[in-house]
Amino acid sequence: MILTDKIGRTVNYLRLSVTDRCNLRCMYCVTKDFKFIPHPEILRYEEMLRLVDLAASMNISKLRLTGGEPFARRGFMGFISSVMSSHPELDLRITTNGTLIEPLVPELKKIGVSRLNISLDTLDRKTFAEVTGRDHLNDVLAAISACLSAGIRIKINAVAMKGINDKELGSFIDFAREHPIDIRFIEFMPMGDDTKSDSRFWSADDILEQGRQLTNLIPVKRTAENRGPARMYTIENGKGRLGLISPVSSHFCSTCNRLRITSDGKLRTCLFSDRTYRLRNILRNPKLGDDTLRRVIAAATRDKPLGYHLLEQRSGSEGVCVTQMSAIGG
Ligand code: SAM
């Protein structure tokens, strides 16, 4: 079965959040009065594996594990292993804040993890503590260095924030020049009870213009490997590259191929839409089987919205959807 929607988009990418818990409190990610999802409502790993099996049977070829902080959930390494051994055909990716992984790098390597996306908004220790509420920059830098030594490829994602990390564009470019790492700035999206993204918004075009004043940035041609939403640029004499992801100023809804499942088993067909489809009750109902799950996922996919319509309808400084990013997984 191939998942397609009403306007002809094919869905082949699933982002699965394994927890809403996180050891950081990033200013753009958690809402003021956020509450953790109660434990009994969080899917067990067996339930997640069943969803991965189903997804694989529905033409999903790329799976990203996210959170919350996925490495903060007990048993996550075992879960990665199980997914990898039952689905070697899946292109498995993981998104992490990198704070907990340095001691896990040898094991990650051993189980076959060959790349990681690490979210890192600043290279300055004080700013890191201000943005995330915790003083963990050195742990992230140590993890990056351990991954590179072990041959695990790293992409860094930084939320672009005026007045917070715009002064560091040069430092990030230098970092990518010195290390074989792609550093991608992603535009600040108005999520949850947002009041900050408008005043802090730093567009991908502005970043490019400022970057070009610092170095020679050459666009990388779109290829089968470089076909994601990031516009990539090589950096003069650089081992790594700079990338720009512009979900707000130049959306990529028409080619969106993603579904998301939250840690409490809610299927979301668009990052900006609060419409969810509850899979947990079906998973836990012994009278309902995989056929029901498949039917619900296929029907939900058919109605996948175009998120930029929702972004355009947003008024004032409110978030485009009420759910905070830590519960969705990015
Ligand atoms: N804890 C993991 C991490 O830090 O990568 C995974 C979860 S985190 C919610 C996933 C991604 O969402 C991170 O790269 C984070 O920076 C991004 N993100 C969260 N809120 C955002 C926002 N309002 N705008 C843009 N990106 C955001």
Side-chain angles (χ1 to χ4, degrees):
M1 176 192 269
I2 291 183
L3 290 168
T4 50
D5 72 358
K6 274 185 197 144
I7 59 164
R9 291 176 293 182
T10 299
V11 165
N12 54 13
Y13 176 12
L14 173 65
R15 299 176 65 103
L16 175 64
S17 171
V18 302
T19 178
D20 65 325
R21 283 8 183 216
C22 188
N23 57 335
L24 300 184
R25 294 287 177 273
C26 298
M27 50 180 272
Y28 47 75
C29 199
V30 284
T31 54
K32 278 187 245 85
D33 50 359
F34 82 100
K35 285 192 191 76
F36 287 129
I37 301 167
H39 276 296
E41 292 176 21
I42 300 284
L43 296 186
R44 296 185 289 273
Y45 282 129
E46 308 86 80
E47 293 169 325
M48 291 189 179
L49 271 177
R50 187 170 157 205
L51 288 175
V52 173
D53 290 345
L54 268 172
S57 76
M58 300 175 91
N59 197 44
I60 295 288
S61 54
K62 177 169 171 179
L63 172 69
R64 180 172 298 282
L65 303 177
T66 177
E69 172 47 39
F71 287 93
R73 178 161 179 185
R74 204 176 305 145
F76 182 58
M77 295 294 279
F79 180 62
I80 304 174
S81 251
S82 308
V83 171
M84 290 184 84
S85 54
S86 29
H87 291 287
E89 80 289 1
L90 279 180
D91 176 1
L92 178 71
R93 313 281 177 109
I94 304 168
T95 292
T96 170
N97 62 33
T99 55
L100 303 169
I101 60 172
E102 196 230 349
L104 303 173
V105 168
E107 201 184 334
L108 282 168
K109 182 78 188 164
K110 199 163 126 209
I111 62 178
V113 171
S114 58
R115 54 186 149 199
L116 285 174
N117 278 19
I118 295 187
S119 305
L120 177 63
D121 305 319
T122 171
L123 297 168
D124 177 77
R125 191 168 163 189
K126 194 161 153 267
T127 311
F128 186 98
E130 277 161 18
V131 171
T132 68
R134 306 284 187 272
D135 179 17
H136 283 316
L137 175 65
N138 288 340
D139 299 324
V140 183
L141 296 177
I144 291 173
S145 160
C147 285
L148 292 180
S149 304
I152 296 178
R153 275 169 52 196
I154 298 292
K155 282 183 190 166
I156 289 180
N157 289 330
V159 179
M161 292 173 283
K162 225 177 219 160
I164 305 271
N165 57 6
D166 52 343
K167 308 268 176 313
E168 291 187 57
L169 182 56
S171 312
F172 273 112
I173 289 176
D174 287 344
F175 199 77
R177 189 178 281 119
E178 286 155 26
H179 302 94
I181 291 178
D182 286 349
I183 296 187
R184 295 134 29 117
F185 279 94
I186 175 158
E187 287 176 347
F188 195 158
M189 291 180 274
M191 306 292 289
D193 56 9
D194 174 77
T195 50
K196 301 168 288 275
S197 78
D198 290 332
S199 59
R200 297 270 179 226
F201 189 71
W202 183 26
S203 74
D205 285 349
D206 285 351
I207 301 172
L208 181 59
E209 196 186 312
Q210 287 163 33
R212 288 203 151 129
Q213 285 162 20
L214 300 170
T215 188
N216 193 10
L217 295 171
I218 300 168
V220 177
K221 275 212 186 87
R222 294 246 164 216
T223 58
E225 211 231 336
N226 170 37
R227 65 187 139 74
R231 283 184 278 152
M232 297 304 302
Y233 298 84
T234 56
I235 296 170
E236 195 165 29
N237 301 321
K239 294 181 184 158
R241 305 180 297 182
L242 182 73
L244 300 170
I245 306 178
S246 48
V248 181
S249 69
S250 173
H251 64 83
F252 29 84
C253 298
S254 65
T255 55
C256 180
N257 59 350
R258 302 166 180 206
L259 293 179
R260 293 175 168 80
I261 298 180
T262 58
S263 55
D264 55 347
K266 290 184 182 138
L267 173 69
R268 295 178 75 98
T269 55
C270 171
L271 181 58
F272 291 154
S273 168
D274 277 318
R275 177 145 193 210
T276 58
Y277 302 81
R278 291 155 197 251
L279 304 181
R280 191 186 64 232
N281 294 347
I282 308 176
L283 278 166
R284 292 185 180 173
N285 185 336
K287 292 195 190 124
L288 300 175
D290 287 354
D291 283 348
T292 311
L293 283 165
R294 273 199 203 92
R295 255 200 319 276
V296 171
I297 295 170
T301 304
R302 267 195 296 283
D303 282 339
K304 183 174 159 61
L306 283 162
Y308 75 93
H309 287 320
L310 304 168
L311 207 54
E312 282 167 359
Q313 283 157 17
R314 156 182 182 257
S315 65
S317 65
E318 69 193 22
V320 61
C321 60
V322 298
T323 320
Q324 62 185 34
M325 199 71 120
S326 60
I328 305 175

